[in-house]
Amino acid sequence: MVDVLLGLQWGDEGKGKIVDYLAANYDIIARFQGGPNAGHTLYINDEKVVLHTIPSGVFQPGCKNLIGNGVVIDPVTLKKEIAEIVKRQPDVLSRLYISQRAHIITPTHKALDAASEAAKGKDKIGSTLKGIGPTYMDKTGRNGLRVGDLLDEKSFEEKYNKLKEKHAQLLGQYDYEVDITEWEKDFLDAVAYMRELNVINAEYWLDEQLKTGQKILAEGAQGSMLDIDFGTYPFVTSSNTIAAGVSNGLGVSPKMVGEVYGITKAYCTRVGSGPFPTELHDETGDALRKAGNEFGATTGRPRRCGWIDLVALRYSVMLSGVTQLIVTKTDILDSFSPLKAATSYIVDGEETDQMPYDLCTTEVQPVYREFEGWDKPINECATYEETPESFKQYCDFLEQYLGTKLSYISNGVGRDQLLKK
Ligand code: GDP
Ligand code: IMO
Ligand code: MG
């Protein structure tokens, strides 16, 4: 079976930490979408590591790691990431597999991302500027470069130059000039490096692994509210981040999907532009950012902070058929009382518990339920039983409102700072 772990909010829910922990129970961790816009933080022997393209199973001995066809890869980021990991895990390359069908981010994709954002002005998406949107556009527009195309040097050069020319025309229309000489040099070096990696026919490989009883965990990137179809469009990323993305992002049948772990922070954050109904523009929002150290793992940008939004969460749970919930950063709420959770929205004077079609043009007023805070630091609790009564009430309410079992509660950055409920 293929189990799935994905974010239920706007990303940065703590996926990296939890995948690193769960990977002990799996043979393979597979990324199925997104690219270096992701920043998944792990603490290995108290040292912080941020992964962008490589699955978060690399630090579990023996665990194989697959970058699936649905991922978009920047060869330069990948090469740098491997160099960092090798220092700690010298055998990483023998456990890393890359689908030949994954698409490649070129320097001009990054330039186009920047040009498009500059042209949007105040309406910009707040993209990570990693070239994600333009690369997926070339994929669906049937112009993309795939990992398999890198292998034959001569035909690669032809395909790359053709794409670069097309991008030069587009950049001309944007009236956007950028010198990519340095980027291109690094890119071509990294492309040569990628030719030495385990590039495989991943769908057949996964099929073999499944037939021999190997356990696979698909690791999501971004979050459900950034999904290209169901997120807060157009302020979204360019891939399907919900569970449906696993099947076409890895080439496994939907029938093979087993558990779907949905992960949420105990509050809510968003980085980049776009609607965020429970955002706090006051000192409580600032205090959450400070306590939670809410700064982007990829871009370093301050994250916008607010209360947990159960309307959005229930929508995400529904879309992916979440079977088990994981709540992270519960320790951050220690110093907040009362706590709030949005349980419905007021839209045009009417109360609703459904996500409106377009949050950008619909004004919504969250309706909050309040909870008493707790007086014992959650990271001092070694088991769920040891947690204060008011904390248990908060967890019970999440379970009941979302209609899903709460399996794990994260109470710190470390791999083992996790309570089983
Ligand atoms: P991801 O993109 O979903 O993997 O999440 P990020 O790594 O971007 O952001 C999550 C941040 O929260 C990281 O800095 C983690 O180290 C941190 N984190 C994860 N779980 C917990 C937790 O339970 N408590 C605290 N205090 N920090 C956590
Ligand atoms: P992880 O996997 C949080 C956001 C960007 C921007 C929008 C589009 O670490 O949770 P893009 O670069 O994809 O064109 O940006 O999506 N975004 C993320 N926000 N966590 C992420 O990944 C994100 N990846 C993209 O900030 O608003
Ligand atoms: Mg992140």
Side-chain angles (χ1 to χ4, degrees):
M1 285 307 245
V2 181
D3 293 343
V4 184
L5 180 137
L6 46 83
L8 299 176
Q9 298 171 309
W10 279 276
D12 303 330
E13 297 88 350
K15 299 175 290 292
K17 173 198 149 148
I18 303 295
V19 171
D20 173 50
Y21 171 86
L22 291 178
N25 304 323
Y26 289 91
D27 301 296
I28 300 168
I29 306 295
R31 275 278 306 268
F32 60 94
Q33 46 71 232
N37 47 351
H40 295 182
T41 312
L42 284 60
Y43 277 82
I44 306 297
N45 303 326
D46 293 333
E47 270 187 328
K48 179 173 161 172
V49 183
V50 181
L51 299 174
H52 302 286
T53 319
I54 293 183
S56 303
V58 274
F59 294 103
Q60 286 286 1
C63 188
K64 298 184 189 115
N65 295 273
L66 170 70
I67 302 174
N69 60 280
V71 176
V72 290
I73 302 175
D74 180 342
V76 180
T77 312
L78 179 67
K79 186 178 166 202
K80 274 196 205 142
E81 231 175 300
I82 293 173
E84 274 305 305
I85 296 169
V86 161
K87 291 182 203 160
R88 298 176 174 89
Q89 293 282 313
D91 71 337
V92 55
L93 284 182
S94 65
R95 297 189 282 117
L96 182 67
Y97 301 81
I98 303 173
S99 167
Q100 58 188 354
R101 294 179 190 275
H103 278 246
I104 295 289
I105 303 173
T106 67
T108 40
H109 281 130
K110 287 196 272 187
L112 280 167
D113 212 355
S116 161
E117 284 284 80
K120 283 189 155 96
K122 67 169 183 34
D123 297 326
K124 70 176 182 181
I125 307 293
S127 157
T128 59
L129 303 179
K130 303 293 177 191
I132 307 296
T135 307
Y136 279 117
M137 277 165 73
D138 272 336
K139 173 178 178 175
T140 49
R142 294 154 298 177
N143 296 307
L145 263 181
R146 298 186 292 174
V147 172
D149 297 329
L150 307 182
L151 304 181
D152 179 335
E153 272 184 58
K154 196 160 177 307
S155 74
F156 166 73
E157 209 180 298
E158 268 170 41
K159 285 179 186 160
Y160 171 67
N161 285 330
K162 204 166 144 198
L163 192 60
K164 195 168 94 172
E165 235 166 74
K166 178 183 157 254
H167 290 169
Q169 283 176 12
L170 286 170
L171 286 165
Q173 283 171 24
Y174 276 116
D175 200 18
Y176 188 87
E177 274 187 39
V178 58
D179 182 1
I180 62 156
T181 319
E182 279 302 307
W183 289 1
E184 189 171 49
K185 193 178 153 298
D186 290 348
F187 172 75
L188 295 173
D189 279 353
V191 162
Y193 172 81
M194 274 189 73
R195 293 192 180 111
E196 307 301 318
L197 304 181
N198 284 327
V199 174
I200 60 165
N201 201 340
E203 56 279 19
Y204 279 110
W205 182 76
L206 282 174
D207 188 52
E208 270 305 301
Q209 306 298 316
L210 285 167
K211 281 180 178 146
T212 55
Q214 300 281 291
K215 285 188 72 187
I216 301 170
L217 178 67
E219 173 181 0
Q222 289 79 57
S224 309
M225 298 314 297
L226 289 169
D227 182 273
I228 183 73
D229 284 282
F230 299 102
T232 47
Y233 194 86
F235 298 96
V236 292
T237 191
S238 301
S239 63
N240 281 115
T241 58
I242 60 170
V246 172
S247 193
N248 59 14
L250 292 177
V252 295
S253 157
K255 287 189 288 192
M256 298 308 292
V257 173
E259 292 295 324
V260 181
Y261 295 100
I263 177 166
T264 171
K265 277 179 193 170
Y267 49 100
C268 192
T269 64
R270 170 164 207 170
V271 62
S273 335
F276 180 0
T278 60
E279 181 170 15
L280 292 166
H281 297 279
D282 56 11
E283 59 277 15
T284 309
D286 293 341
L288 277 171
R289 184 175 312 106
K290 192 153 176 262
N293 193 22
E294 293 296 353
F295 295 89
T298 297
T299 57
R301 291 178 292 179
R303 294 176 183 147
R304 300 154 62 192
C305 297
W307 296 121
I308 197 166
D309 183 343
L310 298 179
V311 178
L313 270 180
R314 189 148 67 182
Y315 184 60
S316 300
V317 165
M318 173 187 88
L319 292 170
S320 288
V322 171
T323 59
Q324 298 190 44
L325 282 173
I326 300 172
V327 181
T328 60
K329 303 195 94 159
T330 52
D331 51 312
I332 303 305
L333 292 187
D334 281 352
S335 50
F336 295 83
S337 188
L339 308 172
K340 291 186 186 180
T343 50
S344 60
Y345 296 154
I346 304 283
V347 179
D348 289 333
E350 302 268 328
E351 192 168 350
T352 175
D353 61 2
Q354 295 200 352
M355 284 300 278
Y357 158 67
D358 188 355
L359 268 181
C360 303
T361 52
T362 311
E363 203 164 315
V364 305
Q365 188 92 43
V367 177
Y368 290 107
R369 180 184 166 113
E370 288 199 358
F371 296 84
E372 201 188 309
W374 40 85
D375 47 15
K376 178 178 175 187
I378 297 298
N379 66 7
E380 287 177 11
C381 305
T383 61
Y384 180 70
E385 285 63 42
E386 285 177 29
T387 62
E389 206 42 49
S390 51
F391 179 78
K392 290 196 179 92
Q393 278 170 12
Y394 183 73
C395 293
D396 286 347
F397 185 78
L398 293 185
E399 246 182 356
Q400 181 210 323
Y401 186 98
L402 299 171
T404 313
K405 178 182 151 51
L406 175 52
S407 296
Y408 291 101
I409 290 151
S410 175
N411 61 349
V413 297
R415 183 188 273 172
D416 297 315
Q417 287 182 288
L418 206 57
L419 311 178
K420 214 168 172 357
K421 183 165 184 288

